[in-house]
Amino acid sequence: MPTEEKTSYSYLEAIGAALAHELDNNDDFFLIGEDVGAFGGPFKVTKGFLEKYGPRRIIDSPIAETGMAGLAAGAALAGLRPMVEFQFADFISCAFDPIINTIARHHWRTGDAMPIVLRAPFGGRLRAGPTHSQSMETYFAHVPGLKIVMPGTAEDAAGLLIASIRDNNPVMFFENKYLYRRLSAQGSPSFEPIELGKANVVREGTDITVVTYSAGVHQAVEAAEELAKDGISVEVVDLRTIKPLDIETVAASVKKTSRAVVLHEAAEFMGMGAEIAAEIQKEAFWYLDQPVERIAAKNTPTPTSPPLEDAVIPQQPEITETIRKVAKA
Protein backbone atom coordinates (compact mmCIF):
# COMPACT_ATOMS: atom_id res chain seq x y z
CA MET A 1 0.00 0.00 0.00
CA PRO A 2 1.43 3.43 -0.88
CA THR A 3 1.97 5.72 2.09
CA GLU A 4 -0.03 8.93 1.93
CA GLU A 5 2.40 11.85 1.75
CA LYS A 6 2.15 14.31 4.63
CA THR A 7 1.51 17.83 3.33
CA SER A 8 1.66 19.88 6.51
CA TYR A 9 3.37 19.97 9.90
CA SER A 10 2.53 21.40 13.29
CA TYR A 11 4.56 23.72 15.53
CA LEU A 12 5.24 20.66 17.71
CA GLU A 13 6.36 18.55 14.76
CA ALA A 14 8.68 21.32 13.60
CA ILE A 15 10.41 21.25 16.99
CA GLY A 16 10.81 17.47 16.88
CA ALA A 17 12.05 17.51 13.29
CA ALA A 18 14.67 20.15 14.12
CA LEU A 19 15.94 18.11 17.05
CA ALA A 20 16.19 14.98 14.92
CA HIS A 21 17.97 16.90 12.18
CA GLU A 22 20.64 18.14 14.55
CA LEU A 23 21.00 14.73 16.25
CA ASP A 24 21.55 13.20 12.81
CA ASN A 25 24.19 15.74 11.88
CA ASN A 26 26.17 16.41 15.05
CA ASP A 27 27.37 13.57 17.29
CA ASP A 28 28.27 16.08 20.02
CA PHE A 29 24.65 17.19 20.40
CA PHE A 30 22.59 15.42 23.08
CA LEU A 31 19.37 15.87 25.06
CA ILE A 32 18.77 15.57 28.78
CA GLY A 33 15.51 16.01 30.66
CA GLU A 34 12.80 14.43 32.70
CA ASP A 35 11.02 11.79 30.60
CA VAL A 36 12.67 12.80 27.31
CA GLY A 37 13.63 9.16 26.67
CA ALA A 38 11.28 6.23 27.24
CA PHE A 39 8.20 8.45 27.65
CA GLY A 40 9.04 10.74 24.73
CA GLY A 41 8.55 13.91 26.77
CA PRO A 42 5.31 15.26 28.25
CA PHE A 43 4.24 16.52 24.81
CA LYS A 44 5.85 13.63 22.85
CA VAL A 45 8.34 15.86 21.08
CA THR A 46 11.08 13.25 21.56
CA LYS A 47 8.97 10.14 21.01
CA GLY A 48 11.14 7.39 19.50
CA PHE A 49 14.39 9.30 20.01
CA LEU A 50 15.74 6.92 22.67
CA GLU A 51 15.36 3.92 20.35
CA LYS A 52 16.99 5.75 17.44
CA TYR A 53 19.83 7.62 19.14
CA GLY A 54 20.44 5.59 22.29
CA PRO A 55 20.85 6.43 25.99
CA ARG A 56 24.18 8.23 25.52
CA ARG A 57 22.44 11.02 23.60
CA ILE A 58 18.87 10.87 24.96
CA ILE A 59 19.26 11.00 28.71
CA ASP A 60 16.37 10.56 31.12
CA SER A 61 16.97 12.60 34.23
CA PRO A 62 15.44 12.35 37.68
CA ILE A 63 13.45 15.37 38.88
CA ALA A 64 16.57 17.46 39.34
CA GLU A 65 16.48 20.68 37.33
CA THR A 66 19.53 22.11 39.06
CA GLY A 67 21.50 18.95 38.30
CA MET A 68 20.47 18.94 34.64
CA ALA A 69 21.59 22.52 34.15
CA GLY A 70 24.85 21.93 36.01
CA LEU A 71 25.57 18.79 33.98
CA ALA A 72 24.94 20.72 30.79
CA ALA A 73 27.44 23.37 31.82
CA GLY A 74 30.11 20.74 32.46
CA ALA A 75 29.35 18.93 29.20
CA ALA A 76 29.58 22.17 27.22
CA LEU A 77 32.98 22.91 28.74
CA ALA A 78 34.06 19.40 27.72
CA GLY A 79 33.25 20.19 24.09
CA LEU A 80 29.74 18.77 23.80
CA ARG A 81 26.58 20.59 22.78
CA PRO A 82 23.85 19.81 25.33
CA MET A 83 20.17 20.64 25.35
CA VAL A 84 18.15 20.57 28.55
CA GLU A 85 14.40 20.11 28.34
CA PHE A 86 12.34 21.48 31.19
CA GLN A 87 8.92 19.84 31.07
CA PHE A 88 7.26 23.10 32.00
CA ALA A 89 8.98 26.47 32.12
CA ASP A 90 7.57 27.02 35.59
CA PHE A 91 10.14 24.63 37.04
CA ILE A 92 13.14 26.26 35.43
CA SER A 93 13.28 28.43 38.53
CA CYS A 94 14.73 25.39 40.36
CA ALA A 95 17.79 25.77 38.11
CA PHE A 96 18.08 29.51 38.55
CA ASP A 97 21.49 29.34 40.22
CA PRO A 98 23.42 27.32 37.57
CA ILE A 99 21.71 29.26 34.78
CA ILE A 100 22.45 32.68 36.23
CA ASN A 101 25.78 32.12 37.98
CA THR A 102 27.41 29.56 35.69
CA ILE A 103 25.82 29.22 32.27
CA ALA A 104 25.23 32.92 31.69
CA ARG A 105 28.51 34.10 33.24
CA HIS A 106 31.19 31.56 32.39
CA HIS A 107 32.09 32.85 28.95
CA TRP A 108 32.59 36.32 30.36
CA ARG A 109 34.93 35.00 33.02
CA THR A 110 37.06 32.74 30.83
CA GLY A 111 36.25 33.16 27.14
CA ASP A 112 35.09 29.55 26.92
CA ALA A 113 32.14 28.76 24.69
CA MET A 114 28.94 27.69 26.47
CA PRO A 115 26.77 26.12 23.70
CA ILE A 116 23.70 25.12 25.71
CA VAL A 117 20.02 25.31 24.79
CA LEU A 118 17.44 25.33 27.57
CA ARG A 119 14.06 24.32 26.10
CA ALA A 120 11.03 25.37 28.11
CA PRO A 121 7.33 24.93 27.19
CA PHE A 122 5.55 27.93 28.69
CA GLY A 123 2.33 29.91 28.80
CA GLY A 124 -1.34 29.59 29.62
CA ARG A 125 -4.70 28.87 27.98
CA LEU A 126 -4.50 25.15 28.81
CA ARG A 127 -6.32 25.66 32.13
CA ALA A 128 -3.24 24.25 33.86
CA GLY A 129 -3.23 26.60 36.83
CA PRO A 130 -0.68 28.86 38.47
CA THR A 131 2.31 26.46 38.47
CA HIS A 132 1.99 25.22 34.86
CA SER A 133 1.04 28.38 32.98
CA GLN A 134 3.73 30.94 33.65
CA SER A 135 5.54 33.14 31.15
CA MET A 136 9.11 33.28 32.44
CA GLU A 137 10.97 35.26 29.81
CA THR A 138 11.32 38.48 31.73
CA TYR A 139 13.08 36.78 34.65
CA PHE A 140 15.94 35.86 32.34
CA ALA A 141 15.86 38.79 29.93
CA HIS A 142 17.41 40.87 32.70
CA VAL A 143 20.48 38.61 32.88
CA PRO A 144 23.48 39.47 30.68
CA GLY A 145 24.82 36.48 28.79
CA LEU A 146 21.57 34.75 27.84
CA LYS A 147 19.80 34.80 24.48
CA ILE A 148 16.04 34.31 24.59
CA VAL A 149 14.16 32.88 21.61
CA MET A 150 10.36 32.70 21.43
CA PRO A 151 9.04 31.39 18.09
CA GLY A 152 5.48 32.34 17.23
CA THR A 153 4.87 30.29 14.08
CA ALA A 154 5.31 26.73 12.90
CA GLU A 155 7.35 28.06 9.96
CA ASP A 156 9.90 29.68 12.29
CA ALA A 157 10.12 27.02 14.99
CA ALA A 158 12.63 24.66 13.35
CA GLY A 159 14.92 27.34 11.89
CA LEU A 160 15.11 29.25 15.17
CA LEU A 161 15.77 26.06 17.14
CA ILE A 162 18.57 24.95 14.82
CA ALA A 163 20.16 28.40 15.02
CA SER A 164 19.94 28.15 18.81
CA ILE A 165 21.57 24.70 18.89
CA ARG A 166 24.45 25.88 16.69
CA ASP A 167 25.02 29.07 18.68
CA ASN A 168 28.09 29.03 20.93
CA ASN A 169 26.26 31.03 23.60
CA PRO A 170 23.56 29.84 26.00
CA VAL A 171 20.07 30.15 24.54
CA MET A 172 16.74 29.87 26.33
CA PHE A 173 14.14 28.55 23.89
CA PHE A 174 10.60 29.21 25.08
CA GLU A 175 7.93 27.21 23.23
CA ASN A 176 4.31 28.23 23.69
CA LYS A 177 2.62 24.93 24.48
CA TYR A 178 -0.80 26.30 23.54
CA LEU A 179 0.49 26.59 19.97
CA TYR A 180 1.99 23.07 19.81
CA ARG A 181 -0.93 21.38 18.07
CA ARG A 182 -2.95 24.45 17.06
CA LEU A 183 -0.55 25.80 14.46
CA SER A 184 0.44 24.15 11.22
CA ALA A 185 2.24 25.05 8.03
CA GLN A 186 2.23 23.58 4.57
CA GLY A 187 4.95 21.34 3.22
CA SER A 188 7.88 20.22 5.38
CA PRO A 189 9.87 22.15 7.99
CA SER A 190 12.85 24.08 6.68
CA PHE A 191 16.12 23.30 8.42
CA GLU A 192 17.73 26.54 7.31
CA PRO A 193 18.81 28.40 10.46
CA ILE A 194 16.98 31.68 11.11
CA GLU A 195 19.19 34.47 12.36
CA LEU A 196 18.71 35.14 16.07
CA GLY A 197 17.94 38.73 16.99
CA LYS A 198 16.11 39.47 13.76
CA ALA A 199 12.40 40.40 13.95
CA ASN A 200 9.91 39.66 11.18
CA VAL A 201 7.19 41.96 9.87
CA VAL A 202 4.41 39.40 9.46
CA ARG A 203 1.80 41.90 8.28
CA GLU A 204 2.44 45.31 6.81
CA GLY A 205 0.32 48.33 7.75
CA THR A 206 0.40 52.11 7.86
CA ASP A 207 -1.68 53.32 10.84
CA ILE A 208 -0.27 51.55 13.90
CA THR A 209 2.43 49.02 14.84
CA VAL A 210 1.82 46.05 17.13
CA VAL A 211 5.04 44.64 18.56
CA THR A 212 4.63 41.13 19.90
CA TYR A 213 5.98 37.56 20.00
CA SER A 214 4.87 33.97 20.46
CA ALA A 215 1.07 33.52 20.73
CA GLY A 216 0.62 37.28 20.57
CA VAL A 217 1.54 37.20 16.88
CA HIS A 218 -1.70 35.40 16.04
CA GLN A 219 -3.81 37.58 18.28
CA ALA A 220 -2.33 40.68 16.66
CA VAL A 221 -2.95 39.38 13.14
CA GLU A 222 -6.53 38.48 14.04
CA ALA A 223 -7.08 41.97 15.43
CA ALA A 224 -5.48 43.50 12.33
CA GLU A 225 -7.87 41.60 10.09
CA GLU A 226 -10.84 42.75 12.15
CA LEU A 227 -9.69 46.39 12.20
CA ALA A 228 -9.04 46.36 8.47
CA LYS A 229 -12.82 46.20 8.02
CA ASP A 230 -12.95 49.65 9.64
CA GLY A 231 -10.16 51.02 7.51
CA ILE A 232 -7.44 50.75 10.18
CA SER A 233 -4.17 49.42 8.78
CA VAL A 234 -2.15 47.50 11.41
CA GLU A 235 1.47 46.47 11.02
CA VAL A 236 2.46 43.41 13.09
CA VAL A 237 6.08 42.84 14.11
CA ASP A 238 7.01 39.39 15.44
CA LEU A 239 10.16 39.82 17.50
CA ARG A 240 11.06 36.11 17.29
CA THR A 241 13.79 36.73 19.87
CA ILE A 242 13.35 39.13 22.73
CA LYS A 243 17.06 39.11 23.44
CA PRO A 244 18.80 40.28 21.37
CA LEU A 245 15.96 42.72 20.80
CA ASP A 246 15.71 43.91 17.20
CA ILE A 247 14.80 47.48 18.03
CA GLU A 248 15.96 48.59 14.57
CA THR A 249 13.07 46.79 12.87
CA VAL A 250 10.63 47.94 15.56
CA ALA A 251 11.72 51.57 15.30
CA ALA A 252 11.53 51.52 11.50
CA SER A 253 7.95 50.32 11.73
CA VAL A 254 6.97 52.90 14.35
CA LYS A 255 8.55 55.70 12.34
CA LYS A 256 6.25 54.65 9.50
CA THR A 257 3.02 54.33 11.50
CA SER A 258 3.63 56.84 14.36
CA ARG A 259 1.72 54.68 16.83
CA ALA A 260 2.62 51.52 18.75
CA VAL A 261 1.10 48.87 20.98
CA VAL A 262 3.14 46.13 22.67
CA LEU A 263 1.35 42.83 23.27
CA HIS A 264 2.51 39.86 25.34
CA GLU A 265 1.12 37.13 27.59
CA ALA A 266 3.39 37.70 30.59
CA ALA A 267 2.33 40.05 33.38
CA GLU A 268 2.44 43.72 32.47
CA PHE A 269 4.29 44.98 35.56
CA MET A 270 8.04 45.07 34.81
CA GLY A 271 7.39 43.01 31.68
CA MET A 272 8.89 43.15 28.18
CA GLY A 273 6.29 45.73 27.21
CA ALA A 274 7.90 48.28 29.50
CA GLU A 275 11.35 47.67 28.02
CA ILE A 276 10.12 47.76 24.44
CA ALA A 277 8.12 50.95 25.06
CA ALA A 278 11.22 52.58 26.54
CA GLU A 279 13.32 51.50 23.54
CA ILE A 280 10.69 52.87 21.13
CA GLN A 281 10.71 56.15 23.01
CA LYS A 282 14.49 56.31 22.76
CA GLU A 283 14.68 55.47 19.06
CA ALA A 284 11.47 56.99 17.66
CA PHE A 285 10.11 59.52 20.16
CA TRP A 286 9.76 62.38 17.67
CA TYR A 287 7.75 60.17 15.31
CA LEU A 288 5.12 59.17 17.91
CA ASP A 289 1.65 60.70 17.75
CA GLN A 290 0.51 58.88 20.88
CA PRO A 291 2.13 57.24 23.94
CA VAL A 292 3.01 53.58 23.50
CA GLU A 293 0.28 51.34 24.95
CA ARG A 294 0.79 47.91 26.54
CA ILE A 295 -1.49 44.87 26.51
CA ALA A 296 -0.42 42.10 28.88
CA ALA A 297 -1.60 39.79 31.64
CA LYS A 298 -2.74 41.14 34.94
CA ASN A 299 -0.22 41.01 37.75
CA THR A 300 -1.63 37.91 39.39
CA PRO A 301 -0.93 34.15 39.24
CA THR A 302 -2.78 32.40 36.42
CA PRO A 303 -5.97 30.76 37.74
CA THR A 304 -7.08 27.24 36.78
CA SER A 305 -10.72 28.25 36.35
CA PRO A 306 -11.32 28.96 32.62
CA PRO A 307 -13.27 32.20 33.08
CA LEU A 308 -10.77 33.46 35.65
CA GLU A 309 -7.81 32.56 33.44
CA ASP A 310 -9.49 34.40 30.58
CA ALA A 311 -9.84 37.41 32.83
CA VAL A 312 -6.08 37.42 33.49
CA ILE A 313 -4.56 36.69 30.07
CA PRO A 314 -5.16 39.15 27.18
CA GLN A 315 -8.22 38.25 25.15
CA GLN A 316 -9.20 39.19 21.62
CA PRO A 317 -11.82 41.89 22.37
CA GLU A 318 -9.41 43.77 24.67
CA ILE A 319 -6.62 43.54 22.10
CA THR A 320 -8.75 44.73 19.21
CA GLU A 321 -10.27 47.63 21.14
CA THR A 322 -6.94 48.78 22.56
CA ILE A 323 -5.35 48.88 19.12
CA ARG A 324 -8.42 50.71 17.78
CA LYS A 325 -8.26 53.27 20.60
CA VAL A 326 -4.58 54.07 20.00
CA ALA A 327 -4.99 54.12 16.23
CA LYS A 328 -7.83 56.64 16.41
CA ALA A 329 -6.49 58.81 19.21
Side-chain angles (χ1 to χ4, degrees):
M1 290 286 289
T3 302
E4 186 176 346
E5 187 175 354
K6 190 171 173 55
T7 58
S8 64
Y9 61 93
S10 67
Y11 182 105
L12 187 75
E13 290 169 331
I15 298 289
L19 293 176
H21 184 269
E22 293 304 284
L23 285 163
D24 286 337
N25 289 284
N26 187 344
D27 289 339
D28 291 333
F29 175 50
F30 74 93
L31 313 182
I32 182 169
E34 297 152 11
D35 291 331
V36 297
F39 192 63
F43 301 98
K44 303 302 181 189
V45 175
T46 56
K47 183 180 180 181
F49 280 24
L50 179 61
E51 293 79 3
K52 183 174 182 181
Y53 300 106
R56 188 183 73 84
R57 303 184 68 197
I58 310 297
I59 302 172
D60 268 325
S61 165
I63 301 174
E65 286 81 2
T66 304
M68 290 190 297
L71 182 149
L77 293 177
L80 300 177
R81 200 165 281 269
M83 171 180 286
V84 180
E85 179 188 301
F86 294 88
Q87 286 194 342
F88 295 89
D90 311 68
F91 305 120
I92 206 169
S93 55
C94 298
F96 202 71
D97 178 62
I99 293 173
I100 302 303
N101 285 321
T102 303
I103 291 173
R105 311 275 190 216
H106 191 80
H107 171 76
W108 302 96
R109 290 174 177 151
T110 66
D112 295 331
M114 188 60 77
I116 298 173
V117 177
L118 307 170
R119 280 187 54 231
F122 83 101
R125 298 187 172 84
L126 296 183
R127 316 316 191 185
T131 60
H132 290 75
S133 305
Q134 297 179 68
S135 296
M136 309 288 285
E137 64 268 25
T138 310
Y139 292 84
F140 298 98
H142 186 66
V143 179
L146 297 174
K147 294 181 178 179
I148 300 178
V149 181
M150 304 190 71
T153 67
E155 290 88 343
D156 283 351
L160 287 171
L161 183 55
I162 288 172
S164 300
I165 293 167
R166 296 180 184 179
D167 200 293
N168 283 331
N169 300 291
V171 177
M172 305 193 72
F173 196 86
F174 286 96
E175 303 159 13
N176 192 306
K177 54 186 183 285
Y178 179 75
L179 302 181
Y180 270 159
R181 295 182 174 86
R182 288 173 172 80
L183 292 184
S184 62
Q186 295 301 307
S188 302
S190 168
F191 299 128
E192 187 67 27
I194 296 174
E195 181 182 359
L196 303 184
K198 188 67 178 173
N200 185 32
V201 178
V202 297
R203 181 187 174 101
E204 294 194 356
T206 56
D207 295 330
I208 185 169
T209 298
V210 178
V211 184
T212 186
Y213 53 91
S214 193
V217 174
H218 307 281
Q219 293 179 303
V221 169
E222 183 177 339
E225 291 172 353
E226 181 66 24
L227 291 167
K229 300 172 185 174
D230 299 331
I232 299 172
S233 176
V234 180
E235 182 149 302
V236 179
V237 178
D238 175 7
L239 291 173
R240 287 175 161 167
T241 68
I242 63 169
K243 192 179 178 186
L245 178 65
D246 183 5
I247 192 59
E248 185 175 327
T249 296
V250 172
S253 177
V254 174
K255 288 177 181 178
K256 180 174 72 171
T257 65
S258 300
R259 290 174 166 81
V261 168
V262 185
L263 165 64
H264 58 67
E265 188 175 310
E268 179 178 282
F269 184 74
M270 300 289 283
M272 282 303 301
E275 177 64 27
I276 294 166
E279 291 287 338
I280 291 173
Q281 182 154 291
K282 185 168 69 175
E283 300 294 333
F285 176 79
W286 298 109
Y287 293 84
L288 286 171
D289 287 339
Q290 286 293 316
V292 179
E293 184 67 80
R294 290 178 287 165
I295 308 171
K298 294 177 174 55
N299 193 34
T300 182
T302 308
T304 305
S305 159
L308 292 180
E309 184 183 43
D310 289 348
V312 170
I313 294 176
Q315 302 297 309
Q316 209 59 43
E318 175 196 1
I319 295 167
T320 303
E321 288 312 306
T322 302
I323 298 171
R324 186 196 308 276
K325 181 191 72 175
V326 178
K328 289 193 169 183

